[in-house]
Amino acid sequence: MADLPLPPPDPQFVLRGTQSAVHALHFCGGAQGQGCPLLLSGSLRGLVHIWSLQTRRVVATLDGHGGQCVTWLQTLPQGPQLLSQGRDLKLCLWDLAEGRNTVVDSVHLESVGFCRGSILAGGQSRWMLAVPGSGSDEVQILEMPSKTSVCSLKPEAGTRPGMPMCLQLWQANSSPRPLLLAGYEDGSVALWDVSEQKVCSRIACHTEPVMGLDVDSQKARGVSGSAEKVLAVWSVDEQQALQVRRTHQLTNPGIADIKIRPDRKILATAGWDHRVRVFLWQTMKPLAVLAFHSATVHCVAFAADSLLAAGSGDHRISIWSLYPHT
């Protein structure tokens, strides 16, 4: 008799207390020698909660978005600073050093959509920021912290991809040039050369809006999900051409978020069907379906120590320990 698959595990623990849907998650710290990581969560009510994973309690609450949904959280590599993006058309830069938890700067956003920003760290405490632009189909690139406008990326003449839905700034191993992957409303994914302000390649990955994507810069390979029942895996060659490598059919439609784990072994998807799905990144072999939540899972995040967090419309954050690093 063939071995039956193991049942999916239960969460290691669950964080409660956001009192509204969780739309953004980000782990902070927790790398070797840094002790237990903190988890940052952004809620529909506009609050950012900072959680201790040791006490499993909120250690600080940040209120900078006027009650409007927090859609993206990102810490900066050069120090205890946090970016939070909200549907109040504001991106806040917080100073988290020594418990200050104050907004030290902000960027006014032109688009009220759900498209999350993206950063690319540079040298000498400078970094690049990509956010939705003033035109409905544009992406704005800023140099930070000066907030200097680098360029506005407008689709090629004759194309109408609609709004950018998700963004990922990155650099290929073969070149230091900043690149941007953008998923659009028409289901396409485009690769931009930011310096040249041009589209290197565009592929039709999906028939519905691209809701989430992530890229493995070492393998120059990425994955995207949309409002439909398909995950698309694609690659970028040395001529900066995108190519669909495979697709994976899902049981139910709707992917809200996708994350590849930092060690590039597994990936997780956040589903409209209340489920988190875990795949082997190399082959897209399904590994687990985590059916804990009772509403849409809006976001997933991995910690450096392989913990997985999922945030849902049921006001809960589940924490999972899956397939630890080998």
Side-chain angles (χ1 to χ4, degrees):
M1 184 172 149
D3 290 339
L4 293 172
L6 293 172
D10 291 326
Q12 193 170 20
F13 54 90
V14 179
L15 303 176
R16 297 174 173 86
T18 63
Q19 298 180 327
S20 70
V22 180
H23 280 261
L25 289 170
H26 181 68
F27 282 100
C28 173
Q32 288 183 340
Q34 290 186 338
C36 196
L38 297 171
L39 179 64
L40 310 171
S41 67
S43 76
L44 182 64
R45 289 186 178 179
L47 299 179
V48 176
H49 294 100
I50 303 177
W51 300 84
S52 164
L53 298 184
Q54 288 180 311
T55 64
R56 304 176 189 178
R57 296 182 183 277
V58 173
V59 295
T61 301
L62 313 179
D63 185 358
H65 291 283
Q68 297 292 308
C69 182
V70 176
T71 56
W72 179 56
L73 296 168
Q74 176 69 53
T75 48
L76 299 184
Q78 54 263 23
Q81 291 186 307
L82 168 70
L83 284 171
S84 65
Q85 178 183 342
R87 282 178 60 83
D88 58 344
L89 293 178
K90 200 163 69 170
L91 192 145
C92 294
L93 177 63
W94 301 83
D95 179 8
L96 304 183
E98 299 167 5
R100 279 197 279 272
N101 300 338
T102 52
V103 176
V104 292
D105 206 351
S106 64
V107 175
H108 176 73
L109 302 175
E110 304 284 352
S111 170
V112 76
F114 277 103
C115 181
R116 296 161 171 152
S118 179
I119 66 166
L120 183 65
Q124 300 173 331
S125 73
R126 291 185 307 182
W127 38 284
M128 186 176 281
L129 170 70
V131 291
S134 55
S136 64
D137 58 1
E138 294 177 20
V139 178
Q140 186 178 17
I141 307 292
L142 299 172
E143 184 183 273
M144 299 293 287
S146 67
K147 298 192 277 191
T148 305
S149 179
V150 176
C151 61
S152 183
L153 304 178
K154 304 175 184 180
E156 325 86 284
T159 62
R160 302 185 66 180
M163 292 188 295
M165 305 295 293
C166 46
L167 305 171
Q168 180 88 43
L169 282 166
W170 66 294
Q171 287 169 307
N173 278 5
S174 56
S175 169
R177 296 174 76 86
L179 303 170
L180 173 75
L181 282 158
Y184 286 89
E185 195 176 4
D186 70 348
S188 68
V189 172
L191 177 67
W192 290 85
D193 183 316
V194 175
S195 306
E196 298 283 337
Q197 299 180 37
K198 70 172 186 179
V199 172
C200 305
S201 177
R202 182 186 293 274
I203 48 171
C205 290
H206 305 277
T207 58
E208 296 283 343
V210 183
M211 305 302 293
L213 61 79
D214 202 1
V215 64
D216 176 346
S217 58
Q218 288 200 8
K219 293 190 175 81
R221 201 165 70 111
V223 60
S224 55
S226 73
E228 62 188 347
K229 296 200 288 187
V230 175
L231 295 177
V233 177
W234 28 265
S235 63
V236 181
D237 67 20
E238 292 183 356
Q239 284 72 47
Q240 313 294 19
L242 286 165
Q243 185 175 351
V244 176
R245 290 294 179 185
R246 68 170 71 200
T247 56
H248 180 86
Q249 291 287 325
L250 298 168
T251 307
N252 299 309
I255 293 295
D257 196 14
I258 296 184
K259 289 288 188 304
I260 301 169
R261 198 165 73 178
D263 68 352
R264 304 179 309 283
K265 296 285 180 62
I266 63 173
L267 70 95
T269 63
W272 294 358
D273 64 354
H274 314 171
R275 286 160 172 74
V276 175
R277 287 180 163 79
V278 182
F279 300 87
L280 197 63
W281 174 220
Q282 185 71 27
T283 63
M284 291 302 291
K285 175 187 175 183
L287 295 177
V289 178
L290 309 179
F292 170 77
H293 290 284
S294 58
T296 293
V297 181
H298 292 294
C299 48
V300 285
F302 282 107
D305 64 358
S306 82
L307 282 180
L308 169 66
S312 170
D314 64 10
H315 303 189
R316 296 181 294 176
I317 302 167
S318 56
I319 308 293
W320 308 79
S321 181
L322 302 171
Y323 311 102
H325 297 318
T326 54

